[in-house]
Amino acid sequence: MTHHLAPGVWGVVATPFAGPSLDVDEASLARLVRHYADIGTSGLTVLGVFGEAARLDAAERRRVLDTVVAAVDLPLVVGVTALSTAPAIEEAEQIRAALGDRLAALMVQVNSPRPEVVTEHLGAVHKATGAPIVVQDYPVSSGVRITTPDLVTVVRELPSAAAVKAEAPPTPAAVAALTGALDVPVFGGLGGLGLLDELAAGAAGAMTGFSCPEGLLACVEAYRVGGYEAARAAYAPYLPLVNFEAQAGIGLAVRKEAIRRRGLIEASGVRPPAPTMPAALGPQLDRHLAATPGALASGEEVR
Amino acid sequence: MTHHLAPGVWGVVATPFAGPSLDVDEASLARLVRHYADIGTSGLTVLGVFGEAARLDAAERRRVLDTVVAAVDLPLVVGVTALSTAPAIEEAEQIRAALGDRLAALMVQVNSPRPEVVTEHLGAVHKATGAPIVVQDYPVSSGVRITTPDLVTVVRELPSAAAVKAEAPPTPAAVAALTGALDVPVFGGLGGLGLLDELAAGAAGAMTGFSCPEGLLACVEAYRVGGYEAARAAYAPYLPLVNFEAQAGIGLAVRKEAIRRRGLIEASGVRPPAPTMPAALGPQLDRHLAATPGALASGEEVR
Amino acid sequence: MTHHLAPGVWGVVATPFAGPSLDVDEASLARLVRHYADIGTSGLTVLGVFGEAARLDAAERRRVLDTVVAAVDLPLVVGVTALSTAPAIEEAEQIRAALGDRLAALMVQVNSPRPEVVTEHLGAVHKATGAPIVVQDYPVSSGVRITTPDLVTVVRELPSAAAVKAEAPPTPAAVAALTGALDVPVFGGLGGLGLLDELAAGAAGAMTGFSCPEGLLACVEAYRVGGYEAARAAYAPYLPLVNFEAQAGIGLAVRKEAIRRRGLIEASGVRPPAPTMPAALGPQLDRHLAATPGALASGEEVR
Amino acid sequence: MTHHLAPGVWGVVATPFAGPSLDVDEASLARLVRHYADIGTSGLTVLGVFGEAARLDAAERRRVLDTVVAAVDLPLVVGVTALSTAPAIEEAEQIRAALGDRLAALMVQVNSPRPEVVTEHLGAVHKATGAPIVVQDYPVSSGVRITTPDLVTVVRELPSAAAVKAEAPPTPAAVAALTGALDVPVFGGLGGLGLLDELAAGAAGAMTGFSCPEGLLACVEAYRVGGYEAARAAYAPYLPLVNFEAQAGIGLAVRKEAIRRRGLIEASGVRPPAPTMPAALGPQLDRHLAATPGALASGEEVR
């Protein structure tokens, strides 16, 4: 169906904050999303967990959306933070109002282990906005665990499904089951830790935050053209940084600092309750960036 | 200081939903809070975790506040759901606008294990609104764990502290440490499971959801007048229901159904992701209510 | 079937340790189990989680069993700590060798979410020893979660089942489902927190650690004779202490200290990694014991 | 000190089980550990968590040790499963009896957040056996969390410390703090996910289970000779398989199946409660092995 998301890489966009007051830094955000457009991502996912959406007020969320819309022409998926229907619709309507036709889909989390509850929730958000729905199964954020068969049921009964974002580890077997049963595209997430295996299991691509989305693109494109071995060769040079950024708890802070050191944003602050990056990791992050293909401009010093 | 909360029982108010659409039921809410006023609670805590605040949209939260303000003259503490400063201030300002002078305090959650982060957060919410702050330490909701000494530091550096709501189990030793080090009143929560021990450790009272707040009142008043043994005698008849309502996961649904069967609200629906009460528990809930002092009007049949 | 456990209260026995070296204190253990015999428990459960079985070496476990066998004539259930079949059989055979015909049943934990795995495991332990099996479903100890329907399947296919110990909260609905589908007796545990509701759901009694098993007995006997209301009246005076002993993490230490203060054991040490009781709780424990019916001998001072 | 472990790679040895009965397969074990000797590991770690030690009975643990001792001349670290002192000493003495002078060190887990408790525990195990101690900080197995400063205190006060196995994620900052404060070697674990970063933080090497320890060796040796960039180049080709084997829950089963497909063991069964590998992952595992340098003998078909 036409509302299915295009395969490839959907960049999950960080929200840059400026200075000690941690205000939304619109200039950095614009620079960051233009970078995504320049490198060839299929689209962007804004206001996701990695975008710290739950840590922004409504005006800030609006400014994030306005900034992104003005900066790039890419298709936009926008995350809904709330797990219950009324506040989810409230967010969804604000997003709809901000983006109009630019909204490719809303990303809404699985909010119950009971498929009929999820179906009603996703259907209500769709009905209120007319927007296609990316179904996000992300237990570490939602606290909700659904079985894969029940998730299949949910997506089958959701004509407006645009994609599934499969982030309940271990993901490779789940992606295989989902892609075997559904014609809706399934994307991997979780920072790209299992991207090779998710592609091999039939994933349409990656939708995740990683400081060098060039690596996700190289992997997905190589898989399309040359299959697993080509993808593996393309992705292996990025995996040291992928794993470094996947560190428990501090992953968001590490990733934002990596983006900063790449010159894509001005400052790397995270809002509490997210913990900051231990200073001891700074030199190692530099080593990673220096060695990761294309992470730093040729001859550039780490900032 | 005068902004300290009065000791006693602060009722944490459920948000009643009507029918299958689960709309906020204002008539039930008014009836419920008037019951709290009638029985002599010191005040009410609205839009807390038990009030399903995170499952309401802004208009619904406003209607809840308007309804409560119009229905009772009790002092009101209002919960702030967000853990980050910007959305917490957004909520706090909406609450301030709705309640004006009726706002006794905002209840704000501990949002970091680092005391300096919490101090800055609580201070910012206070500065934006002028409201006193009830500091809620509730790891099962926030995902944040702070040590008791660090919590003492936070509260000491917060001139606007109105109270501490101590809900990091095991609570009795924590309450003892907090009341020994602070002159701010400390309240127990967690459905009253440990109220006797929290009082013995110096708590000023209870601030929690329980379908028969009459039991909390009886306990706290008996403790004030007669000490532990009197409180124990007063509270023991309520403990079977307290424990029944404290069941993992389904506690909210059980408690709302108990409130419904008492005739205080019209319907007992909970919004997902909260699970519903297993039907098998219905007869046992009736037995509890029939035996709990004052739970049902004399001669009344369970509805 | 004759190998079903008798209904009533099965005391889960603490293992007393003497002095700073925390050696097994056989004299205290003998005194403790004789107390259980004196008050009329149906039997004893030795070397359970509450008996710190995983913290004893094989010789100590043997001495515990020998001491109990010599001290009382009660039927004995003995816990198996290991979750895998080979070490479980090793333990089971040692227990069989120590107890011979005195062994009423082995208590073995559910060790997989897959019922066929559990069935094979329990069957193998039974086959190796000939002993009836108490099936313990205790996720907080085992880390394993099985659905109630799958647990029913397991028990149905286990002719040697002596009982089920249902400790996956919330237990009341689980006990109702188990007793509705099985003719094997089902016992509540978890320190007695939900005993009234477990009895109302059809439980045959309690099998748990509590410093005043007299309260469990009073409750179960009252339920048998007079139903829920009688049980409730009998049990309410014990609930303040039940809840005090159920404190997260420190419950074991609190319970052993309560047993010590009752004069039933000489010292209350727990072996790491169990945390010790905070000293601040001592006076409150005294208050509980002074007020709990029969906890202290008439006129006795707390030791 | 001479009892410090040599730097490099210590292979954590899987325990192979034969056929549906899951008996210890000594021939496979001998073949497996000879492979480790052939490729140049510094030593072996036997009966660790990855070796499923808690799922073996004492006779099986003895046969594992006897088999390994007879098969290779490598230095041997042996894991102690119990967290409490008495059963830990029991295991330690059995290990000592089996290995005599072949025992390089015992690996003992941190068993309390309180450093004085851990110090006493580790000291007692050392005193009972004379063996040097590898201190393992592995919260996902032990359930115990200690701060890094407290872990430094523990190791400083333990003259018999042979090494620290740092497995409390995020590990890189912890390894940096440990190596900065201690002269005891610190090893990374966790399947090699963070090996590059642990080496950069000062780790002496890796002590972990991975189906291709050749990759760990290549990484550690390259780091020694050429620093981070060389290590990164050497390790990147192994990371796709490292990540595949690190899948939550099923990692052990995947890793054993990979070892089997390499021809190093006969069968890949795991003992419950470990879950088995989903069949859907088989083809992808083949792809990984075919592409991983040296995983399969030249021209060999996957078995």
Side-chain angles (χ1 to χ4, degrees):
Chain A
M1 305 181 195
T2 57
H3 59 266
H4 285 177
L5 295 192
V9 173
W10 288 71
V12 178
V13 182
T15 302
F17 299 124
S21 62
L22 295 174
D23 294 320
V24 172
D25 176 354
E26 299 170 41
S28 282
L29 177 58
R31 198 191 328 165
L32 176 62
V33 296
R34 280 194 294 262
H35 178 76
Y36 275 110
D38 292 345
I39 63 176
T41 49
S42 300
L44 297 179
T45 301
V46 189
L47 297 181
V49 173
F50 175 59
E52 298 179 73
R55 299 173 193 146
L56 307 178
D57 63 32
E60 290 175 326
R61 293 198 301 272
R62 176 69 192 240
R63 281 163 53 203
V64 164
L65 295 178
D66 289 348
T67 300
V68 172
V69 163
V72 294
D73 285 327
L74 290 170
L76 301 177
V77 169
V78 183
V80 168
T81 295
L83 294 178
S84 293
T85 305
I89 288 177
E90 177 183 30
E91 287 182 55
E93 289 178 337
Q94 291 167 350
I95 294 164
R96 188 69 175 156
L99 260 61
D101 293 344
R102 290 294 307 281
L103 180 63
L106 292 163
M107 182 165 70
V108 183
Q109 295 191 66
V110 169
N111 76 333
S112 173
R114 296 170 55 202
E116 68 276 16
V117 171
V118 185
T119 295
E120 185 170 338
H121 176 60
L122 301 178
V125 175
H126 168 66
K127 190 177 165 195
T129 58
I133 305 291
V134 175
V135 183
Q136 183 178 28
D137 179 23
Y138 191 15
V140 81
S141 165
S142 66
V144 173
R145 298 189 175 277
I146 194 169
T147 67
T148 301
D150 282 341
L151 182 54
V152 165
T153 300
V154 165
V155 179
R156 276 197 180 134
E157 295 181 4
L158 188 74
S160 60
V164 178
K165 189 164 192 264
E167 305 192 279
T171 52
V175 170
L178 291 167
T179 57
L182 298 169
D183 69 345
V184 173
V186 177
F187 289 83
L190 298 178
L193 268 178
L195 178 56
L196 284 169
D197 304 310
E198 291 155 356
L199 290 171
M207 182 185 285
T208 198
F210 174 46
S211 69
C212 292
E214 293 88 341
L216 307 174
L217 284 160
C219 180
V220 171
E221 175 63 10
Y223 189 84
R224 190 182 66 81
V225 173
Y228 167 74
E229 287 188 46
R232 183 194 143 85
Y235 199 45
Y238 295 91
L239 276 171
L241 181 57
V242 164
N243 285 13
F244 188 70
E245 291 186 9
Q247 293 183 61
I250 58 173
L252 173 70
V254 173
R255 207 165 274 151
K256 287 184 92 167
E257 176 62 13
I259 295 172
R260 187 193 72 77
R261 293 187 186 196
R262 292 194 68 196
L264 299 173
I265 60 176
E266 204 56 37
S268 62
V270 293
R271 288 188 174 177
T276 55
M277 185 178 94
L281 298 183
Q284 180 62 3
L285 177 55
D286 281 346
R287 286 183 208 110
H288 276 296
L289 291 173
T292 300
L296 301 180
S298 162
E300 185 176 20
E301 298 213 11
V302 169
R303 297 149 51 104
Chain B
M1 305 180 196
T2 57
H3 59 268
H4 284 177
L5 295 192
V9 174
W10 288 71
V12 178
V13 182
T15 303
F17 300 123
S21 62
L22 295 175
D23 294 320
V24 172
D25 176 354
E26 298 169 42
S28 283
L29 177 59
R31 197 190 329 163
L32 176 62
V33 296
R34 279 194 295 260
H35 178 75
Y36 275 111
D38 290 346
I39 63 177
T41 49
S42 300
L44 297 179
T45 302
V46 189
L47 298 181
V49 172
F50 175 60
E52 299 181 71
R55 299 174 194 145
L56 306 178
D57 63 31
E60 290 175 326
R61 293 197 303 269
R62 175 69 190 240
R63 281 163 53 206
V64 165
L65 295 178
D66 289 347
T67 301
V68 173
V69 163
V72 294
D73 284 327
L74 290 169
L76 301 177
V77 169
V78 184
V80 168
T81 295
L83 294 177
S84 292
T85 306
I89 288 178
E90 178 184 32
E91 286 182 56
E93 290 178 338
Q94 292 167 351
I95 294 164
R96 188 70 177 154
L99 261 59
D101 291 345
R102 292 293 307 278
L103 180 64
L106 293 162
M107 183 166 69
V108 183
Q109 295 191 68
V110 169
N111 76 334
S112 173
R114 295 169 55 203
E116 68 276 16
V117 171
V118 185
T119 295
E120 184 170 339
H121 176 60
L122 301 178
V125 175
H126 168 67
K127 190 176 167 196
T129 59
I133 305 290
V134 175
V135 183
Q136 183 179 28
D137 179 25
Y138 191 16
V140 82
S141 165
S142 67
V144 173
R145 298 189 176 278
I146 193 168
T147 67
T148 302
D150 283 342
L151 182 55
V152 165
T153 299
V154 165
V155 179
R156 276 197 180 135
E157 295 181 5
L158 187 73
S160 60
V164 177
K165 190 164 190 265
E167 305 193 279
T171 52
V175 170
L178 291 166
T179 56
L182 298 169
D183 69 347
V184 174
V186 177
F187 289 83
L190 299 177
L193 268 177
L195 178 56
L196 283 169
D197 305 310
E198 292 155 356
L199 291 171
M207 182 184 286
T208 197
F210 175 46
S211 69
C212 291
E214 293 87 342
L216 307 174
L217 284 159
C219 181
V220 171
E221 175 61 12
Y223 189 83
R224 191 183 64 80
V225 173
Y228 168 75
E229 286 188 47
R232 182 194 144 85
Y235 199 45
Y238 295 93
L239 276 172
L241 182 56
V242 165
N243 284 13
F244 188 70
E245 293 187 8
Q247 293 184 61
I250 58 172
L252 173 70
V254 173
R255 207 164 275 151
K256 287 183 92 167
E257 177 61 13
I259 295 172
R260 186 192 74 75
R261 294 186 185 198
R262 294 194 66 197
L264 299 173
I265 60 177
E266 205 58 37
S268 62
V270 293
R271 290 188 173 178
T276 55
M277 185 178 94
L281 298 184
Q284 179 62 3
L285 176 54
D286 281 345
R287 286 183 208 109
H288 276 296
L289 291 173
T292 300
L296 302 180
S298 165
E300 186 176 18
E301 298 213 9
V302 169
R303 298 151 50 107
Chain C
M1 305 182 193
T2 58
H3 58 268
H4 285 177
L5 295 192
V9 173
W10 288 70
V12 178
V13 182
T15 303
F17 301 123
S21 62
L22 295 175
D23 293 320
V24 173
D25 175 356
E26 298 170 42
S28 283
L29 177 58
R31 195 190 330 163
L32 176 63
V33 295
R34 279 194 295 261
H35 178 76
Y36 275 110
D38 291 346
I39 62 176
T41 50
S42 301
L44 297 179
T45 301
V46 190
L47 297 180
V49 172
F50 176 59
E52 298 180 72
R55 299 174 194 147
L56 307 178
D57 63 32
E60 290 175 327
R61 292 197 303 269
R62 176 67 191 239
R63 282 164 51 206
V64 165
L65 294 177
D66 289 348
T67 300
V68 172
V69 163
V72 293
D73 284 326
L74 290 170
L76 300 177
V77 169
V78 184
V80 168
T81 296
L83 294 178
S84 293
T85 306
I89 288 177
E90 178 183 32
E91 287 181 56
E93 290 178 336
Q94 292 166 351
I95 294 164
R96 188 71 177 152
L99 260 60
D101 293 344
R102 291 294 307 279
L103 181 63
L106 293 163
M107 182 166 69
V108 184
Q109 295 191 69
V110 169
N111 76 333
S112 173
R114 294 170 55 202
E116 68 275 17
V117 171
V118 185
T119 295
E120 185 170 339
H121 176 60
L122 300 178
V125 175
H126 168 66
K127 191 178 166 192
T129 58
I133 305 291
V134 175
V135 183
Q136 183 179 27
D137 179 24
Y138 192 14
V140 81
S141 166
S142 66
V144 173
R145 297 188 177 278
I146 194 168
T147 67
T148 302
D150 283 342
L151 182 54
V152 166
T153 299
V154 165
V155 179
R156 276 199 180 133
E157 295 181 4
L158 187 74
S160 60
V164 177
K165 190 165 191 266
E167 305 192 279
T171 52
V175 170
L178 291 166
T179 57
L182 300 169
D183 69 346
V184 174
V186 177
F187 289 84
L190 299 178
L193 267 178
L195 179 55
L196 282 170
D197 304 309
E198 291 154 358
L199 291 171
M207 182 183 287
T208 198
F210 174 46
S211 69
C212 291
E214 293 89 341
L216 308 174
L217 284 159
C219 181
V220 172
E221 176 62 10
Y223 189 84
R224 191 183 65 79
V225 173
Y228 167 74
E229 286 188 46
R232 183 195 144 84
Y235 199 43
Y238 296 92
L239 276 172
L241 182 56
V242 165
N243 285 13
F244 187 71
E245 292 187 8
Q247 292 184 63
I250 59 173
L252 174 70
V254 173
R255 207 166 274 150
K256 289 184 89 166
E257 176 62 13
I259 296 172
R260 187 193 72 75
R261 294 187 185 196
R262 293 194 67 196
L264 299 173
I265 61 177
E266 204 56 38
S268 62
V270 293
R271 289 188 173 178
T276 55
M277 186 179 91
L281 298 183
Q284 177 63 1
L285 176 55
D286 280 346
R287 285 182 209 110
H288 276 295
L289 291 173
T292 301
L296 301 180
S298 165
E300 184 175 21
E301 298 213 10
V302 169
R303 297 150 53 104
Chain D
M1 304 181 194
T2 58
H3 60 266
H4 284 177
L5 295 191
V9 173
W10 289 71
V12 178
V13 181
T15 302
F17 301 123
S21 62
L22 295 175
D23 294 320
V24 173
D25 177 353
E26 299 170 40
S28 282
L29 178 59
R31 196 191 327 163
L32 176 63
V33 295
R34 279 194 296 262
H35 178 76
Y36 275 111
D38 291 346
I39 62 176
T41 49
S42 301
L44 297 179
T45 301
V46 189
L47 297 181
V49 172
F50 177 60
E52 297 179 71
R55 299 174 193 146
L56 307 177
D57 63 31
E60 290 175 326
R61 292 198 304 268
R62 176 67 190 242
R63 282 163 53 205
V64 165
L65 295 178
D66 289 348
T67 301
V68 172
V69 162
V72 294
D73 284 327
L74 290 169
L76 300 177
V77 169
V78 183
V80 168
T81 296
L83 294 178
S84 292
T85 306
I89 287 177
E90 178 184 32
E91 287 182 55
E93 289 178 338
Q94 292 167 349
I95 294 164
R96 187 70 177 157
L99 261 60
D101 293 344
R102 290 295 306 281
L103 181 62
L106 293 162
M107 182 165 69
V108 183
Q109 294 190 68
V110 170
N111 76 334
S112 174
R114 294 170 55 203
E116 67 276 17
V117 172
V118 185
T119 295
E120 184 170 340
H121 176 60
L122 300 177
V125 176
H126 169 67
K127 190 177 167 195
T129 59
I133 304 291
V134 175
V135 183
Q136 184 178 27
D137 178 24
Y138 191 15
V140 81
S141 166
S142 65
V144 174
R145 298 189 175 277
I146 193 169
T147 67
T148 302
D150 283 341
L151 182 55
V152 165
T153 300
V154 165
V155 180
R156 276 199 181 133
E157 294 180 6
L158 187 73
S160 61
V164 176
K165 188 164 192 265
E167 305 192 278
T171 52
V175 170
L178 291 166
T179 57
L182 299 169
D183 68 347
V184 174
V186 176
F187 289 84
L190 298 178
L193 267 178
L195 179 56
L196 284 169
D197 305 310
E198 291 154 357
L199 291 171
M207 181 183 288
T208 197
F210 175 46
S211 69
C212 291
E214 293 88 341
L216 307 175
L217 284 159
C219 180
V220 172
E221 175 63 11
Y223 188 84
R224 192 184 63 81
V225 174
Y228 167 75
E229 286 188 46
R232 182 194 143 86
Y235 198 44
Y238 295 91
L239 277 172
L241 182 56
V242 165
N243 285 14
F244 188 70
E245 293 186 8
Q247 292 183 62
I250 59 173
L252 174 71
V254 172
R255 208 165 273 151
K256 288 183 92 167
E257 177 62 14
I259 296 172
R260 188 194 72 77
R261 294 187 185 196
R262 294 195 66 195
L264 299 173
I265 60 176
E266 205 56 37
S268 62
V270 293
R271 290 188 173 177
T276 56
M277 186 178 92
L281 297 183
Q284 179 63 1
L285 177 54
D286 281 347
R287 286 183 208 110
H288 275 296
L289 291 173
T292 301
L296 301 180
S298 165
E300 185 176 17
E301 298 213 9
V302 170
R303 297 149 53 106

